[in-house]
Amino acid sequence: TALLSPTCDDTAVEEAADLALRQINADRKEGYILSLYQIFSVREHPQEITGSVFYLILDVVDTECHVISKKLWKNCAAGFAHTAVYGQCKAIIYINQARNIAHLNTYQCILQPVPPRYIWTVCPDCPVDDCPTKPKYLEAAVQSLAKFNEESEQTHYFSVLNVTRASMQWVTGPAYFVEFLIQETSCSKNDT
């Protein structure tokens, strides 16, 4: 059978994009949940018996939800423009609605941060993303978590698992912003 070119706003195409993006996000181990910005292109290959294979190119942006949260992309707010990561995901997904099957055959996502020069033209005072593995950001996360550990009513201490986002802004001096994952330790607050 020939490849079809359905419109991007076709209900079956939108459902295929949603299911593909759900499976892509479920497969990702690092970063933030991707949200659909738009369906860039689609081709459909109907199968002989039932169902179709969809060849999708999806424009995506990341959200405020980390992939560990396992939330659906539709339940996550878009990230701030100055910290956004955007890109395209190419996906091939087989869908058979009669048998309730959705199988993501393959996908490839190419993501990149919004360029700083664009951010500065829109928001000259916004923080600029930086590499989260730099020691100064881990230090900021550890200091922040120490305050949390001191003030919280949790029974155990928490430690920094890793820094997931980092940015810096010059105010009267450098200001560091970090997002990080924490994990509960076995150390009780009652122990000295």
Side-chain angles (χ1 to χ4, degrees):
T1 58
L3 281 177
L4 306 176
S5 297
T7 61
C8 291
D9 62 353
D10 181 271
T11 305
V13 172
E14 289 177 345
E15 183 179 327
D18 174 48
L19 292 169
L21 200 50
R22 286 178 189 216
Q23 291 183 27
I24 290 168
N25 281 322
D27 189 49
R28 296 180 70 226
K29 305 291 182 245
E30 292 182 352
Y32 292 79
I33 290 175
L34 300 175
S35 176
L36 181 63
Y37 179 71
Q38 71 177 1
I39 300 169
F40 183 78
S41 74
V42 61
R43 300 285 288 206
E44 180 181 0
H45 186 209
Q47 302 301 292
E48 286 183 20
I49 301 169
T50 180
S52 289
V53 174
F54 290 89
Y55 300 87
L56 302 163
I57 299 178
L58 309 173
D59 288 339
V60 295
V61 294
D62 69 352
T63 65
E64 293 179 344
C65 302
H66 196 276
V67 293
I68 330 192
S69 71
K70 300 293 184 196
K71 289 185 178 181
L72 296 178
W73 67 269
K74 289 182 176 182
N75 297 334
C76 295
F80 295 110
H82 64 275
T83 62
V85 171
Y86 71 99
Q88 279 192 335
C89 292
K90 295 178 180 178
I92 301 172
I93 187 168
Y94 169 73
I95 296 179
N96 182 327
Q97 288 183 331
R99 295 176 59 200
N100 201 24
I101 296 172
H103 177 72
L104 184 65
N105 295 331
T106 185
Y107 73 92
Q108 178 186 19
C109 295
I110 298 174
L111 305 172
Q112 60 188 359
V114 173
R117 68 183 180 279
Y118 171 76
I119 295 167
W120 290 325
T121 60
V122 176
C123 180
D125 294 332
C126 285
V128 178
D129 275 358
D130 202 358
C131 178
T133 58
K134 288 183 178 177
K136 62 186 172 189
Y137 296 115
L138 177 58
E139 199 176 297
V142 168
Q143 286 178 2
S144 177
L145 187 58
K147 183 174 179 167
F148 170 82
N149 278 328
E150 184 181 309
E151 296 175 0
S152 80
E153 295 181 13
Q154 301 292 324
T155 57
H156 289 86
Y157 287 105
F158 285 80
S159 66
V160 175
L161 184 60
N162 67 354
V163 177
T164 57
R165 269 194 186 138
S167 59
M168 196 273 285
Q169 180 180 24
W170 197 264
V171 188
T172 55
Y176 301 111
F177 303 92
V178 291
E179 291 182 27
F180 53 96
L181 300 175
I182 62 174
Q183 62 185 358
E184 188 174 12
T185 68
S186 59
C187 300
S188 171
K189 285 186 166 183
N190 296 331
D191 297 339
T192 53

